[in-house]
Amino acid sequence: MLLHHAATRDSIRQLFDAVKAISVQGYDEERRVVYWNVGSELLYGYTEAEALGRKLEELIIPECMCNVVVTSHKRWVDEGVEIPASEIILRNKNGQDVSVFSSHVLFEDENNKKEMYCIDIDLAEVRQAQAQVIFKENMLKAVFEATPDLFFLMQEDGTIIDYYVGDKKNLYVLPKDILGKKYVRFFCLKKVVKNFKSHFVKIIEQGGVSSFEYELSMPHGLTQFEARIIYLQSDKKIVVIVRDITEQHKAAEVIRKHAYFDNLTSLPNRFLSLDRLWQMLKKAKRNADNVAVFFLDLDDFKKVNDSLGHEVGDKLLVEAANRLKLVVRESDTVGRLGGDEFIVLSQALTNGHDAIDIAENLLGIFREPFKIDGRELSLTVSIGIAIYPENGGSASDLLRNADTAMYQAKTLGRNAYSFFTRAMNDITLRRLEIEGYLHYALERDEFEVYYQPKVNIVNGNIIGAEALLRWHNPVLGNVTPDEFIPIAEHTGLIVPIGEYVVQQALDFLGDWQSAHQKNYTIAVNLSPRQFRDKKLIDFIKKSLNNANIKPESLEFEVTEGVLMIGNSYIDGALAELHKLGVKLSMDDFGTGYSSLSYLRKYSFDVLKIDRSFVSGITLKKSDCNLVKATIAMAHSLGLLVVAEGVEMREQLTLLEELGCDLAQGYYFSKPIPAKELIDFQYAANRP
């Protein structure tokens, strides 16, 4: 409440000076005491001389409430946001707690200076059955009318014998219909009346304070109320304080929405989705039903963010969410787990065929292109399915197993669905086990770099080698690169592991060149994750200098899969590597989709024909012709050609006839440790 004019303030002060039962304090805009009545001295222990000029928070506010009080006062003075009347615990001069009902009035004089007056009632006195006398005092009436709450004094049978109204718009009946009537008439909704009756009985039998919330349709809209019921045992009277808590309810609803729903799509988030799954499982257990968990991952969604921006990506996620909601039943749940991952929960399924129908529908809604900002974007989805109780008995087990099945769907070529099997679970457990040990493999010195020689097909001389990482763990034994490299890539461990391989390879290359006085080369594979490392180029420069190796002696093999990502940082890194002078080799040529365009776009020095083509050149004319054409094309572009996977003399002979430059494979040597390669080179050159 905001009151104007100093005359009003002065007359109220005179009234407060005569009242000892109520604490009234006045504060200026800086919260410094400008008025301190006798009631304040009695309640808080500070004399007027001790209080004047000191700040509110220095006197009676507990330390834990200081920030809230300061902020609330400033918002009222600056923004007009009133401080609501409430029950609070303050402190007296001796540091003891003082429980009060505090309300506030703001005065503004002709100079626009504002003073806030706090009117505090010691609730201990209310609880000592003095409420009825206090209510009838004119000053107390003014205090309560300054608050927005409704106060009712009732007999034990619910008859209203007195009341004070702070905000008349919250009265459900006219004031003339209040006195002498029972709350049954005032709160005429049966549900509300029933609540009042039960709480009346409770406090009369047990004493203390009881409260509950209820809802009424008021002329100004649907309103939430809180009723606090206090039994004054000595007078056999009941005090009811009714407060409008609509705004608090709205704020709580906003908080609840943030806690349980995804901000972007408004779908249930991970927490709420798992809670709903848990509820479904409880029901399914009682009814002996099935529940299906569909784990959805949008295929290649990262490319949308990288190429078109996150704003377009967000709009695409919203549209995807809207489509998912259209194809599920009302009893089912669509949730967003995060990123481009969604979940669909379906209950009361008859059999596995029901899950198949749902999966087909989910795939089908993505067949129509999405229209975002005038663009048509095609999007597919991979779906993993886990069924209760066959694939798990808990929400976490089912989610994990559906996730595993989703990755199986990815391997099927994406835009597909896959059911969870125990074999998938074994693969997942193996992957988790490998990942756990992989984190400590470097510091425990469990890695070793092996080398596979590269041979000049014409003269049989070894010209270099490819560095290949091997891992032996004391518990897991020998772990193949096919198992641990993808995991290292996914976790980001490939960056320090890749640096280890480069350093080991360059150190060995120095020893190898010195041992035979030859300019051997070493080829090292670079993964997609390494290209994202901003320190990659500086690391390579530093490593070459430390090992005293010329850049042209180092070769980096890059797969078409890396090039297909199409990110600008890959283009920049390849350009920097070429500028540095290291050699670039396109690995696994022919297994991708746009090989020729990549050869035109990037400055490669070497082209490696994939082993899948080399293995068939003596058996299939088509493979032979393809290898022949690849060699001719590469030579026309000035590239050296390496055939990998050579295992037979007949293959080597044919490659020589086709004009291939270099070869590597088990026909010459399997990958071997560094020391063996030095000895192998020495043995190969003996007379």
Side-chain angles (χ1 to χ4, degrees):
M1 178 181 294
L2 178 62
L3 300 178
H4 295 274
H5 305 304
T8 304
R9 179 198 61 194
D10 293 341
S11 61
I12 293 294
R13 277 193 182 183
Q14 291 174 6
L15 198 56
F16 286 155
D17 287 339
V19 179
K20 296 182 180 180
I22 303 172
S23 167
V24 183
Q25 320 104 47
Y27 303 94
D28 64 13
E29 293 181 352
E30 300 298 324
R31 301 177 308 285
R32 298 188 185 279
V33 176
V34 296
Y35 175 74
W36 191 265
N37 80 336
V38 176
S40 298
E41 292 186 14
L42 295 174
L43 184 58
Y44 297 114
Y46 294 98
T47 66
E48 182 180 18
E50 290 174 322
L52 289 176
R54 295 180 65 181
K55 285 194 173 184
L56 168 65
E57 57 267 30
E58 297 174 1
L59 294 171
I60 61 175
I61 305 301
E63 185 176 349
C64 62
M65 293 175 54
C66 284
N67 288 338
V68 175
V69 170
V70 171
T71 302
S72 299
H73 179 269
K74 184 174 178 58
R75 291 188 66 196
W76 196 356
V77 172
D78 295 343
E79 303 171 24
V81 180
E82 294 189 13
I83 300 174
S86 62
E87 293 181 18
I88 59 174
I89 296 177
L90 303 177
R91 68 181 181 192
N92 61 20
K93 185 176 180 180
N94 296 325
Q96 298 170 327
D97 289 346
V98 179
S99 181
V100 300
F101 184 87
S102 183
S103 58
H104 315 82
V105 180
L106 195 67
F107 287 96
E108 183 175 313
D109 64 18
E110 61 276 8
N111 297 320
N112 295 325
K113 294 293 184 180
K114 296 176 182 177
E115 292 180 2
M116 182 185 76
Y117 283 77
C118 296
I119 305 165
D120 297 339
I121 300 172
D122 187 353
L123 289 181
E125 296 181 6
V126 176
R127 296 188 181 100
Q128 293 168 5
Q130 298 177 2
Q132 186 176 4
V133 175
I134 296 174
F135 279 145
K136 292 183 178 180
E137 293 289 341
N138 291 333
M139 184 52 65
L140 184 59
K141 184 176 181 180
V143 169
F144 280 104
E145 287 180 348
T147 72
D149 298 341
L150 311 179
F151 298 86
F152 302 93
L153 185 63
M154 301 181 184
Q155 295 176 344
E156 288 183 334
D157 65 354
T159 300
I160 302 173
I161 59 177
D162 207 347
Y163 74 96
Y164 292 90
V165 178
D167 191 344
K168 291 183 179 180
K169 74 180 179 64
N170 285 330
L171 281 176
Y172 196 62
V173 296
L174 296 175
K176 66 182 180 63
D177 296 326
I178 295 177
L179 289 178
K181 304 298 192 301
K182 289 188 177 182
Y183 64 82
V184 174
R185 176 178 173 82
F186 184 71
F187 305 106
C188 57
L189 294 183
K190 290 183 179 180
K191 185 177 180 181
V192 179
V193 171
K194 183 178 179 181
N195 267 332
F196 264 97
K197 284 184 176 180
S198 64
H199 285 271
F200 268 43
V201 172
K202 177 182 175 182
I203 64 165
I204 290 174
E205 291 178 351
Q206 303 176 10
V209 179
S210 186
S211 66
F212 70 94
E213 295 180 8
Y214 62 94
E215 185 178 81
L216 290 176
S217 180
M218 307 294 288
H220 56 276
L222 198 62
T223 307
Q224 301 284 340
F225 292 99
E226 178 191 49
R228 294 176 61 83
I229 306 172
I230 306 167
Y231 183 50
L232 308 178
Q233 191 171 10
S234 60
D235 288 338
K236 305 298 182 183
K237 296 294 186 297
I238 296 172
V239 177
V240 178
I241 305 172
V242 177
R243 175 170 298 170
D244 182 346
I245 57 170
T246 306
E247 291 304 317
Q248 292 94 313
H249 260 257
K250 290 179 180 178
E253 181 62 24
V254 171
I255 293 173
R256 189 186 76 85
K257 187 170 183 180
H258 283 296
Y260 295 110
F261 293 87
D262 175 56
N263 289 335
L264 178 65
T265 63
S266 296
L267 293 176
N269 62 13
R270 185 185 191 92
F271 181 84
L272 182 56
S273 296
L274 288 178
D275 181 71
R276 289 189 179 178
L277 176 56
W278 182 73
Q279 298 291 344
M280 287 183 182
L281 296 181
K282 283 175 56 179
K283 184 177 179 181
K285 188 174 182 179
R286 292 195 304 268
N287 302 335
D289 281 337
N290 294 319
V291 174
V293 177
F294 301 83
F295 194 111
L296 290 75
D297 184 271
L298 304 183
D299 297 325
D300 294 324
F301 180 74
K302 184 177 180 298
K303 289 184 179 179
V304 175
N305 278 339
D306 290 342
S307 58
L308 301 179
H310 287 275
E311 184 178 353
V312 172
D314 286 348
K315 291 179 180 179
L316 192 57
L317 288 173
V318 171
E319 289 301 315
N322 291 337
R323 289 193 184 185
L324 289 172
K325 289 187 289 187
L326 291 175
V327 296
V328 300
R329 300 172 300 176
E330 187 175 345
S331 60
D332 297 339
T333 290
V334 178
R336 184 187 179 203
L337 300 178
D340 58 350
E341 294 178 342
F342 294 85
I343 189 173
V344 174
L345 309 175
S346 190
Q347 57 187 334
L349 300 182
T350 304
N351 51 48
H353 292 291
D354 291 342
I356 292 176
D357 292 340
I358 294 172
E360 293 286 359
N361 287 337
L362 293 174
L363 289 177
I365 62 173
F366 286 90
R367 293 196 178 103
E368 185 74 20
F370 291 81
K371 295 181 179 180
I372 307 294
D373 293 343
R375 300 185 180 89
E376 283 199 356
L377 302 175
S378 296
L379 193 66
T380 59
V381 64
S382 296
I383 305 172
I385 309 167
I387 306 292
Y388 169 85
E390 179 183 350
N391 302 138
S394 69
S396 58
D397 286 344
L398 289 167
L399 183 63
R400 180 173 62 252
N401 293 339
D403 187 15
T404 300
M406 183 274 294
Y407 279 103
Q408 176 67 17
K410 294 280 189 186
T411 65
L412 295 176
R414 306 184 179 189
N415 192 27
Y417 62 85
S418 176
F419 283 84
F420 174 79
T421 65
R422 289 298 170 190
M424 288 184 206
N425 193 37
D426 292 340
I427 292 172
T428 300
L429 292 175
R430 170 71 174 177
R431 178 184 176 90
L432 291 172
E433 191 176 30
I434 290 174
E435 182 176 335
Y437 285 110
L438 190 61
H439 279 280
Y440 305 100
L442 266 179
E443 62 185 69
R444 293 174 180 170
D445 199 25
E446 295 175 2
F447 289 121
E448 184 177 2
V449 180
Y450 277 44
Y451 302 89
Q452 187 172 41
K454 287 184 180 179
V455 177
N456 185 309
I457 292 180
V458 176
N459 57 30
N461 291 333
I462 294 176
I463 57 91
E466 180 180 359
L468 299 166
L469 187 61
R470 297 293 182 263
W471 179 25
H472 179 83
N473 178 267
V475 178
L476 302 177
N478 292 322
V479 186
T480 66
D482 287 344
E483 279 193 295
F484 74 80
I485 291 296
I487 297 174
E489 179 76 20
H490 178 73
T491 59
L493 291 171
I494 195 67
V495 173
I497 291 174
E499 291 177 349
Y500 167 83
V501 174
V502 170
Q503 290 172 336
Q504 291 290 310
L506 291 178
D507 289 343
F508 165 71
L509 180 59
D511 295 340
W512 196 22
Q513 289 179 340
S514 297
H516 300 287
Q517 297 298 306
K518 291 187 177 180
N519 292 324
Y520 295 121
T521 61
I522 284 291
V524 178
N525 291 280
L526 279 182
S527 76
R529 190 67 173 261
Q530 286 175 276
F531 276 98
R532 288 161 54 184
D533 181 13
K534 296 180 180 180
K535 300 177 182 178
L536 175 65
I537 305 301
D538 289 338
F539 167 76
I540 292 171
K541 290 179 182 178
K542 184 178 179 180
S543 298
L544 287 168
N545 290 333
N546 291 343
N548 197 26
I549 297 296
K550 296 179 180 179
E552 58 266 24
S553 297
L554 177 61
E555 178 183 320
F556 284 115
E557 296 188 359
V558 182
T559 65
E560 287 185 79
V562 172
L563 303 177
M564 287 174 63
I565 297 175
N567 289 62
S568 59
Y569 60 78
I570 292 178
D571 295 350
L574 288 174
E576 287 293 321
L577 290 173
H578 176 70
K579 183 179 178 181
L580 183 60
V582 300
K583 294 181 179 179
L584 296 176
S585 171
M586 178 180 282
D587 196 10
D588 300 335
F589 182 81
T591 59
Y593 302 98
S594 307
S595 302
L596 295 178
S597 64
Y598 294 141
L599 291 176
R600 292 173 55 196
K601 183 175 181 180
Y602 302 106
S603 300
F604 285 102
D605 304 284
V606 180
L607 184 147
K608 292 188 74 172
I609 301 176
D610 186 71
R611 65 182 67 249
S612 61
F613 296 103
V614 173
S615 64
I617 59 173
T618 60
L619 304 174
K620 299 179 182 179
K621 186 176 181 181
S622 58
D623 282 0
C624 182
N625 289 336
L626 182 61
V627 170
K628 180 179 180 180
T630 300
I631 293 171
M633 176 194 64
H635 284 167
S636 69
L637 296 173
L639 306 179
L640 283 175
V641 181
V642 181
E644 59 180 357
V646 177
E647 297 183 356
M648 297 182 296
R649 177 66 194 178
E650 292 81 4
Q651 293 171 341
L652 182 64
T653 300
L654 183 52
L655 286 168
E656 184 177 8
E657 292 176 2
L658 296 176
C660 188
D661 303 299
L662 308 173
Q664 66 181 94
Y666 274 35
Y667 178 75
F668 308 104
S669 172
K670 63 181 180 180
I672 55 179
K675 186 176 183 306
E676 289 186 30
L677 180 56
I678 292 179
D679 295 339
F680 177 86
Q681 179 70 15
Y682 174 77
N685 285 335
R686 285 184 301 174

mmCIF file of all heavy atoms in Angstrom, residues 474-492:
data_model
loop_
_atom_site.group_PDB
_atom_site.id
_atom_site.type_symbol
_atom_site.label_atom_id
_atom_site.label_comp_id
_atom_site.label_asym_id
_atom_site.label_seq_id
_atom_site.Cartn_x
_atom_site.Cartn_y
_atom_site.Cartn_z
ATOM 1 N N PRO A 474 46.772 -55.749 -19.292
ATOM 2 C CA PRO A 474 46.971 -56.929 -18.436
ATOM 3 C C PRO A 474 45.691 -57.713 -18.172
ATOM 4 O O PRO A 474 45.743 -58.924 -17.971
ATOM 5 C CB PRO A 474 47.510 -56.325 -17.132
ATOM 6 C CG PRO A 474 48.113 -55.026 -17.524
ATOM 7 C CD PRO A 474 47.275 -54.527 -18.656
ATOM 8 N N VAL A 475 44.554 -57.030 -18.181
ATOM 9 C CA VAL A 475 43.279 -57.702 -17.912
ATOM 10 C C VAL A 475 42.599 -58.153 -19.201
ATOM 11 O O VAL A 475 42.151 -59.295 -19.321
ATOM 12 C CB VAL A 475 42.333 -56.776 -17.118
ATOM 13 C CG1 VAL A 475 40.981 -57.451 -16.883
ATOM 14 C CG2 VAL A 475 42.965 -56.383 -15.792
ATOM 15 N N LEU A 476 42.520 -57.264 -20.181
ATOM 16 C CA LEU A 476 41.805 -57.554 -21.426
ATOM 17 C C LEU A 476 42.635 -58.344 -22.418
ATOM 18 O O LEU A 476 42.094 -58.933 -23.348
ATOM 19 C CB LEU A 476 41.345 -56.244 -22.075
ATOM 20 C CG LEU A 476 40.435 -55.339 -21.244
ATOM 21 C CD1 LEU A 476 40.144 -54.052 -22.010
ATOM 22 C CD2 LEU A 476 39.139 -56.053 -20.886
ATOM 23 N N GLY A 477 43.949 -58.328 -22.234
ATOM 24 C CA GLY A 477 44.826 -58.940 -23.216
ATOM 25 C C GLY A 477 45.048 -58.005 -24.392
ATOM 26 O O GLY A 477 45.006 -56.774 -24.248
ATOM 27 N N ASN A 478 45.260 -58.580 -25.583
ATOM 28 C CA ASN A 478 45.439 -57.762 -26.786
ATOM 29 C C ASN A 478 44.083 -57.282 -27.290
ATOM 30 O O ASN A 478 43.196 -58.092 -27.581
ATOM 31 C CB ASN A 478 46.146 -58.568 -27.881
ATOM 32 C CG ASN A 478 47.581 -58.869 -27.530
ATOM 33 O OD1 ASN A 478 48.276 -58.031 -26.951
ATOM 34 N ND2 ASN A 478 48.051 -60.073 -27.861
ATOM 35 N N VAL A 479 43.945 -55.959 -27.378
ATOM 36 C CA VAL A 479 42.703 -55.352 -27.872
ATOM 37 C C VAL A 479 42.971 -54.826 -29.276
ATOM 38 O O VAL A 479 43.919 -54.064 -29.497
ATOM 39 C CB VAL A 479 42.238 -54.199 -26.968
ATOM 40 C CG1 VAL A 479 40.878 -53.688 -27.426
ATOM 41 C CG2 VAL A 479 42.180 -54.649 -25.514
ATOM 42 N N THR A 480 42.145 -55.226 -30.236
ATOM 43 C CA THR A 480 42.398 -54.849 -31.627
ATOM 44 C C THR A 480 42.076 -53.371 -31.855
ATOM 45 O O THR A 480 41.195 -52.803 -31.189
ATOM 46 C CB THR A 480 41.539 -55.687 -32.586
ATOM 47 O OG1 THR A 480 40.154 -55.369 -32.374
ATOM 48 C CG2 THR A 480 41.747 -57.178 -32.338
ATOM 49 N N PRO A 481 42.758 -52.749 -32.815
ATOM 50 C CA PRO A 481 42.458 -51.346 -33.143
ATOM 51 C C PRO A 481 41.000 -51.138 -33.564
ATOM 52 O O PRO A 481 40.418 -50.095 -33.288
ATOM 53 C CB PRO A 481 43.418 -51.033 -34.295
ATOM 54 C CG PRO A 481 44.558 -51.981 -34.093
ATOM 55 C CD PRO A 481 43.939 -53.248 -33.555
ATOM 56 N N ASP A 482 40.416 -52.152 -34.230
ATOM 57 C CA ASP A 482 39.018 -52.021 -34.648
ATOM 58 C C ASP A 482 38.095 -51.832 -33.452
ATOM 59 O O ASP A 482 37.017 -51.231 -33.570
ATOM 60 C CB ASP A 482 38.580 -53.260 -35.431
ATOM 61 C CG ASP A 482 39.201 -53.304 -36.821
ATOM 62 O OD1 ASP A 482 39.701 -52.253 -37.269
ATOM 63 O OD2 ASP A 482 39.184 -54.380 -37.438
ATOM 64 N N GLU A 483 38.515 -52.349 -32.275
ATOM 65 C CA GLU A 483 37.703 -52.192 -31.073
ATOM 66 C C GLU A 483 37.977 -50.879 -30.359
ATOM 67 O O GLU A 483 37.055 -50.158 -29.988
ATOM 68 C CB GLU A 483 37.979 -53.351 -30.106
ATOM 69 C CG GLU A 483 37.238 -54.621 -30.411
ATOM 70 C CD GLU A 483 37.316 -55.611 -29.263
ATOM 71 O OE1 GLU A 483 38.427 -56.084 -28.959
ATOM 72 O OE2 GLU A 483 36.259 -55.891 -28.661
ATOM 73 N N PHE A 484 39.270 -50.565 -30.133
ATOM 74 C CA PHE A 484 39.544 -49.435 -29.256
ATOM 75 C C PHE A 484 39.661 -48.091 -29.964
ATOM 76 O O PHE A 484 39.442 -47.045 -29.349
ATOM 77 C CB PHE A 484 40.789 -49.699 -28.384
ATOM 78 C CG PHE A 484 42.120 -49.625 -29.083
ATOM 79 C CD1 PHE A 484 42.736 -48.398 -29.340
ATOM 80 C CD2 PHE A 484 42.791 -50.780 -29.445
ATOM 81 C CE1 PHE A 484 43.971 -48.326 -29.957
ATOM 82 C CE2 PHE A 484 44.033 -50.722 -30.053
ATOM 83 C CZ PHE A 484 44.625 -49.489 -30.312
ATOM 84 N N ILE A 485 39.990 -48.065 -31.252
ATOM 85 C CA ILE A 485 40.119 -46.771 -31.949
ATOM 86 C C ILE A 485 38.780 -46.028 -32.016
ATOM 87 O O ILE A 485 38.719 -44.824 -31.704
ATOM 88 C CB ILE A 485 40.717 -46.955 -33.355
ATOM 89 C CG1 ILE A 485 42.187 -47.388 -33.262
ATOM 90 C CG2 ILE A 485 40.612 -45.647 -34.154
ATOM 91 C CD1 ILE A 485 43.098 -46.371 -32.621
ATOM 92 N N PRO A 486 37.660 -46.683 -32.397
ATOM 93 C CA PRO A 486 36.372 -45.951 -32.389
ATOM 94 C C PRO A 486 35.996 -45.424 -31.006
ATOM 95 O O PRO A 486 35.419 -44.338 -30.879
ATOM 96 C CB PRO A 486 35.372 -47.010 -32.865
ATOM 97 C CG PRO A 486 36.180 -47.995 -33.640
ATOM 98 C CD PRO A 486 37.500 -48.052 -32.938
ATOM 99 N N ILE A 487 36.319 -46.173 -29.957
ATOM 100 C CA ILE A 487 36.009 -45.724 -28.598
ATOM 101 C C ILE A 487 36.880 -44.528 -28.233
ATOM 102 O O ILE A 487 36.412 -43.555 -27.624
ATOM 103 C CB ILE A 487 36.207 -46.877 -27.592
ATOM 104 C CG1 ILE A 487 35.232 -48.007 -27.906
ATOM 105 C CG2 ILE A 487 36.031 -46.385 -26.162
ATOM 106 C CD1 ILE A 487 35.430 -49.249 -27.075
ATOM 107 N N ALA A 488 38.151 -44.587 -28.597
ATOM 108 C CA ALA A 488 39.046 -43.458 -28.339
ATOM 109 C C ALA A 488 38.582 -42.214 -29.095
ATOM 110 O O ALA A 488 38.659 -41.091 -28.580
ATOM 111 C CB ALA A 488 40.476 -43.826 -28.752
ATOM 112 N N GLU A 489 38.075 -42.419 -30.305
ATOM 113 C CA GLU A 489 37.557 -41.305 -31.097
ATOM 114 C C GLU A 489 36.330 -40.700 -30.428
ATOM 115 O O GLU A 489 36.203 -39.478 -30.295
ATOM 116 C CB GLU A 489 37.187 -41.807 -32.500
ATOM 117 C CG GLU A 489 36.609 -40.756 -33.429
ATOM 118 C CD GLU A 489 37.667 -39.832 -33.982
ATOM 119 O OE1 GLU A 489 38.853 -40.185 -33.965
ATOM 120 O OE2 GLU A 489 37.290 -38.722 -34.419
ATOM 121 N N HIS A 490 35.424 -41.564 -29.963
ATOM 122 C CA HIS A 490 34.178 -41.105 -29.348
ATOM 123 C C HIS A 490 34.434 -40.359 -28.047
ATOM 124 O O HIS A 490 33.757 -39.366 -27.750
ATOM 125 C CB HIS A 490 33.271 -42.306 -29.091
ATOM 126 C CG HIS A 490 31.978 -41.964 -28.425
ATOM 127 N ND1 HIS A 490 30.953 -41.321 -29.067
ATOM 128 C CD2 HIS A 490 31.550 -42.157 -27.139
ATOM 129 C CE1 HIS A 490 29.957 -41.136 -28.234
ATOM 130 N NE2 HIS A 490 30.286 -41.627 -27.055
ATOM 131 N N THR A 491 35.387 -40.794 -27.247
ATOM 132 C CA THR A 491 35.650 -40.193 -25.939
ATOM 133 C C THR A 491 36.610 -39.017 -25.997
ATOM 134 O O THR A 491 36.777 -38.299 -25.008
ATOM 135 C CB THR A 491 36.228 -41.244 -24.978
ATOM 136 O OG1 THR A 491 37.454 -41.767 -25.532
ATOM 137 C CG2 THR A 491 35.240 -42.377 -24.760
ATOM 138 N N GLY A 492 37.267 -38.818 -27.152
ATOM 139 C CA GLY A 492 38.253 -37.739 -27.253
ATOM 140 C C GLY A 492 39.652 -38.165 -26.860
ATOM 141 O O GLY A 492 40.604 -37.392 -26.990
#
